Amino acid sequence: MSTASRNERCPCGSGKKYKHCCLGQAEPATTEMGRRAHVYNATERAVFTRALAWTESRLGPGWLRAAIAAIPEAEPPRADESQFLLPWLVYHYSHDGPSPAEQFLAEPGSRLTAAEREALTCNLEAHVSIWEVRSVEPSVGVELFDLLTHTTRFVHEVRATRTLQRWAVLLASVVSYPELSVFACLHPRMLLPAEAAGALAAIKRALRVRTRAVPAGRLRVPEAQLAMLRAWRDAVREGDARATRPLIMNNTDGDPLVLCTDHFDVAGPKRDELLALLLGIAGADHNTTDDGDEIVFARPGNKLDESWDNTIVGRAVLKGARLLVETNSVARADALRRLIEQAAGKRLQYRLRDVRDLGDLLRSSPSAPRSRKAEPQPSAELQEVMRQVVARHYEHWLDEQIPALGGNTPRQAASSVALRPRLIALLKELEVHEGAKPEAERYEVGRLWQALSLDPHATAERAAPARPGGAGAKQSAAPRRRGPRRDTSILELGVSLRAVEPPVWRRVQVRSHITLAKLHQVLQTVMGWTDSHLHEFECSGVTYGEPDREFPERQNEKLAVLAAVLRDPGDRLVYTYDFGDGWRHDVVLERVLDPDPSGTYPYVTGGGRACPPEDCGGPGGYANLLEALASPEHPEHAELADWAGESFDPEGFDAGELNRAFHGGYYLPTE
């Protein structure tokens, strides 16, 4: 098909002149291929209108309601979903026979023009899938990658280039003509990479694939189409719910996480004297960098993890006549500013504070407003300095523990087969958010891709990592799952206590449908705790526990099903018990098993070493207790041995005793 001159008959088959038909639709296009795409779109609209009218006349005016009612587990469509559902039901969904469009095409008296027959045939050959936007060419089109079939299409669609951005994920049907491709049905809600990751994983489980490409023909099967629609709707609902919840990120002091940069002018020429005064602040350490003299301020210990020797509270850069002080919370910024002004006196003059909300980097909507407070407006020179501050922040971010990565650093996640997809999705979202900022404030996320040696266009696949636990015994490989997990599946969990050496660990099998509240009871028994303190779960930046008005962001653990939190081997959560002592447990899904018909669960299959005594002071206090018990010459040996009691054996562990605690009798499942 080609375009025509203004006064020729329109190629779409309408019978009108081109200037009175598709020319108006083609005007936004800047290329010949773009104008042809508009002609195809006009032809598709015409043939779809005819197919829809034929369907209503043959199947009755209530066919749409009946078709939706015939979809298993279907919900009433939202108003904005009609632009996707109506073409999908006409072209693709075949319930008890051919789709309406297939029946219309076979109708002897349909009297289709050649252009309409081509459009109808090509639409029937297309398939609905999950597409990732790889690039956007303004006023021309977008390059898409099919995340299921692993194929690439370039869609000529001018209007799409105004709204779509790189790494957006779409639920759509792409129609391929001999010389170009265009959109057919397109779901109105796009997803960001992390949102789409869950939907994609659910679809792959339904299709029983993990790494290989899905044949396009398999996506035309009604069951596959329904799986995509259900997974997409679930992701949209979850994203809408997340958008209504405040996103709260905290540093290790528990303060809301923001990037604060205080700007000072250096008063007077005695720069070396000022540097000496700043280094006189307790915990200050000096480094010489290309940007100037860097001073790192730290304090002993850490509120979050007692195994850490210190906590970095801020960094300062002294360059020329300006001092910039960076912290990650307002509380730390205020405290450090007081210390600096007390030490420097009149040698420094405070100018302004720039506050950047880091939480918006992980929000579900790229258009979410940022909390930006800067008075007065920084000059171009200061903006450049702030860009350098942000660049240094991301350099340190590479080695920081990220909740969305299960508490691992980006560098650790890059070397983990299981965590790499989460990291790739996170980097793509960072790129989306940075792209939405003014160019003067934008950070080049490509530096992070390069630093982590990751290819953003590579297909990220998941695989189970080596099992934790410290036993070192060889175990059989996890059985390959055949389809979506049933409620009766058994999840084998590896549980290890952080910051304790030698390791204290357990391996326990539980039913997949239990809630996190029930898992709390299981962990109390399997570890040996007495449930005398508060607890909390954390997974992918979401916290679960008992409802508390003071913590509205915490999800109710009684409503969270374990199988929905830990989906695939390698997924993990952190279980914290006793916020005073700070006992943190890594809980990793190791295997998904079929239940033993004669079995009883929970069931402990392995472990090592006894649980520390309650209220012994956390990992640091427990280390001191072990040292005292092991040495009769230790000054606290007698006191701590009496406190711990003669029955306490650090090496003691008995799986049979734990199973008897669960079930009142020793149970050994059939191998």
Side-chain angles (χ1 to χ4, degrees):
M1 181 182 291
S2 62
T3 54
S5 64
R6 293 176 56 86
N7 292 309
E8 290 180 345
R9 194 176 298 275
C10 186
C12 75
S14 65
K16 300 178 181 179
K17 290 184 178 181
Y18 181 50
K19 65 181 180 181
H20 296 309
C21 188
C22 293
L23 177 61
Q25 296 292 328
E27 285 177 352
T30 58
T31 64
E32 174 63 21
M33 296 296 284
R35 286 186 284 272
R36 291 186 186 183
H38 280 295
V39 173
Y40 277 121
N41 285 330
T43 306
E44 287 183 348
R45 288 194 296 271
V47 73
F48 174 73
T49 301
R50 293 188 60 185
L52 183 60
W54 180 91
T55 301
E56 291 178 343
S57 66
R58 288 299 181 92
L59 304 181
W63 78 272
L64 178 60
R65 185 167 54 253
I68 294 177
I71 302 175
E73 303 179 17
E75 297 179 358
R78 296 172 17 168
D80 59 351
E81 278 190 320
S82 60
Q83 68 184 66
F84 172 82
L85 287 177
L86 199 56
W88 173 65
L89 289 169
V90 170
Y91 284 117
H92 302 293
Y93 186 60
S94 54
H95 178 67
D96 294 335
S99 68
E102 290 177 298
Q103 299 178 51
F104 174 61
L105 182 62
E107 176 71 25
S110 59
R111 297 179 182 178
L112 294 170
T113 66
E116 289 176 333
R117 185 171 293 275
E118 180 187 29
L120 189 55
T121 302
C122 290
N123 269 273
L124 290 173
E125 292 175 351
H127 64 275
V128 176
S129 191
I130 311 298
W131 302 85
E132 181 182 68
V133 178
R134 288 290 174 87
S135 64
V136 178
E137 193 172 339
S139 300
V140 177
V142 294
E143 181 184 343
L144 304 177
F145 179 75
D146 191 330
L147 295 173
L148 293 173
T149 67
H150 297 178
T151 56
T152 302
R153 296 284 187 276
F154 188 90
V155 175
H156 287 270
E157 173 59 64
V158 175
R159 291 179 178 84
T161 65
R162 301 169 186 165
T163 56
L164 295 180
Q165 51 191 319
R166 192 186 189 202
W167 305 130
V169 184
L170 315 172
L171 175 66
S173 171
V174 174
V175 180
S176 296
Y177 291 96
E179 68 268 31
L180 55 82
S181 298
V182 297
F183 278 122
C185 52
L186 174 65
H187 197 280
R189 171 68 182 272
M190 73 173 187
L191 298 178
L192 292 179
E195 292 177 317
L200 187 64
I203 295 167
K204 287 188 173 183
R205 285 196 295 270
L207 297 176
R208 303 180 183 180
V209 298
R210 290 194 64 186
T211 60
R212 66 181 186 273
V214 181
R218 192 171 175 187
L219 297 181
R220 298 188 184 99
V221 177
E223 289 76 13
Q225 297 176 39
L226 292 175
M228 281 188 278
L229 183 58
R230 282 196 297 266
W232 199 262
R233 280 179 159 183
D234 289 344
V236 169
R237 277 196 300 269
E238 185 177 344
D240 291 343
R242 189 185 306 113
T244 62
R245 298 194 300 262
L247 180 61
I248 301 175
M249 301 176 64
N250 304 97
N251 60 18
T252 57
D253 290 342
D255 303 326
L257 191 64
V258 293
L259 180 60
C260 294
T261 305
D262 284 336
H263 299 257
F264 295 85
D265 285 336
V266 177
K270 297 183 179 180
R271 183 177 177 280
D272 292 340
E273 181 180 338
L274 173 62
L275 180 61
L277 292 173
L278 295 177
L279 291 176
I281 298 175
D285 186 34
H286 178 233
N287 298 301
T288 302
T289 68
D290 294 337
D291 295 327
D293 291 292
E294 180 187 56
I295 308 167
V296 178
F297 298 96
R299 66 164 184 259
N302 187 274
K303 293 182 179 180
L304 182 65
D305 194 329
E306 293 188 9
S307 64
W308 293 5
D309 295 331
N310 57 31
T311 300
I312 296 177
V313 296
R315 293 178 175 85
V317 177
L318 179 60
K319 185 175 182 179
R322 184 165 289 118
L323 176 73
L324 275 72
V325 182
E326 309 160 24
T327 53
N328 62 13
S329 74
V330 174
R332 288 184 178 180
D334 291 341
L336 191 53
R337 177 186 171 183
R338 285 194 296 270
L339 290 175
I340 289 174
E341 290 180 334
Q342 289 173 3
K346 296 182 179 180
R347 296 172 181 84
L348 285 177
Q349 181 180 357
Y350 182 76
R351 289 195 60 185
L352 62 90
R353 172 175 295 174
D354 181 72
V355 181
R356 303 188 65 179
D357 184 358
L358 302 181
D360 70 315
L361 296 175
L362 298 177
R363 293 186 189 276
S364 60
S365 171
S367 60
R370 288 185 292 111
S371 173
R372 184 68 185 269
K373 306 169 186 176
E375 242 180 71
Q377 185 67 26
S379 63
E381 180 185 0
L382 280 181
Q383 287 183 348
E384 176 59 30
V385 173
M386 284 189 285
R387 279 196 293 270
Q388 296 176 8
V389 171
V390 173
R392 285 196 298 273
H393 161 73
Y394 278 115
E395 290 175 6
H396 294 293
W397 177 84
L398 293 170
D399 297 298
E400 291 180 359
Q401 293 178 320
I402 307 299
L405 300 177
N408 294 275
T409 69
R411 293 191 196 277
Q412 292 170 332
S415 60
S416 167
V417 177
L419 294 175
R420 196 176 302 131
R422 299 188 195 178
L423 175 61
I424 290 176
L426 179 59
L427 289 174
K428 288 179 178 179
E429 290 208 13
L430 290 177
E431 193 168 322
V432 170
H433 287 292
E434 288 295 331
K437 295 178 181 179
E439 187 173 357
E441 302 179 16
R442 200 172 298 163
Y443 174 75
E444 178 52 56
V445 182
R447 300 178 187 175
L448 300 179
W449 290 107
Q450 184 176 8
L452 296 168
S453 300
L454 292 176
D455 179 8
H457 295 97
T459 304
E461 306 300 344
R462 300 188 58 139
R467 294 175 175 80
K474 184 177 181 180
Q475 301 184 28
S476 59
R480 191 170 184 173
R481 298 230 312 270
R482 301 291 184 183
R485 179 184 301 151
R486 301 188 302 273
D487 284 346
T488 54
S489 296
I490 300 303
L491 307 186
E492 185 172 80
L493 306 176
V495 186
S496 55
L497 194 57
R498 282 190 184 182
V500 173
E501 290 294 339
V504 176
W505 65 279
R506 305 287 186 265
R507 181 168 290 109
V508 59
Q509 296 176 353
V510 298
R511 296 190 182 275
S512 61
H513 63 264
I514 67 172
T515 64
L516 291 186
K518 177 63 176 178
L519 180 62
H520 157 68
Q521 299 173 5
V522 172
L523 294 176
Q524 285 288 308
T525 300
V526 78
M527 291 302 299
W529 301 117
T530 61
D531 202 5
S532 304
H533 302 279
L534 298 176
H535 68 278
E536 188 177 73
F537 293 93
E538 188 275 327
C539 183
S540 300
V542 180
T543 58
Y544 305 86
E546 297 178 349
D548 192 326
R549 292 182 179 179
E550 294 185 5
F551 301 96
E553 73 280 3
R554 180 187 294 168
Q555 303 297 302
N556 191 342
E557 63 181 9
K558 294 181 180 180
L559 303 178
V561 177
L562 179 59
V565 178
L566 301 182
R567 299 171 179 265
D568 296 296
D571 286 353
R572 69 175 60 214
L573 59 80
V574 177
Y575 171 66
T576 302
Y577 171 63
D578 187 354
F579 296 117
D581 280 3
W583 298 110
R584 293 168 63 81
H585 309 67
D586 288 307
V587 182
V588 182
L589 174 56
E590 297 184 346
R591 296 193 295 173
V592 180
L593 308 168
D594 291 328
D596 188 321
S598 61
T600 307
Y601 301 94
Y603 177 69
V604 181
T605 63
R609 297 178 58 82
C611 178
E614 293 270 3
D615 304 318
C616 68
Y622 184 50
N624 182 65
L625 173 64
L626 295 180
E627 181 182 355
L629 295 179
S631 174
E633 291 78 21
H634 193 284
E636 297 180 288
H637 173 79
E639 179 183 354
L640 292 180
D642 180 67
W643 179 83
E646 296 181 359
S647 61
F648 175 67
D649 178 11
E651 302 297 328
F653 171 75
D654 187 344
E657 182 179 349
L658 291 176
N659 284 313
R660 285 191 292 273
F662 279 126
H663 310 299
Y666 190 79
Y667 157 67
L668 182 64
T670 304
E671 292 294 340

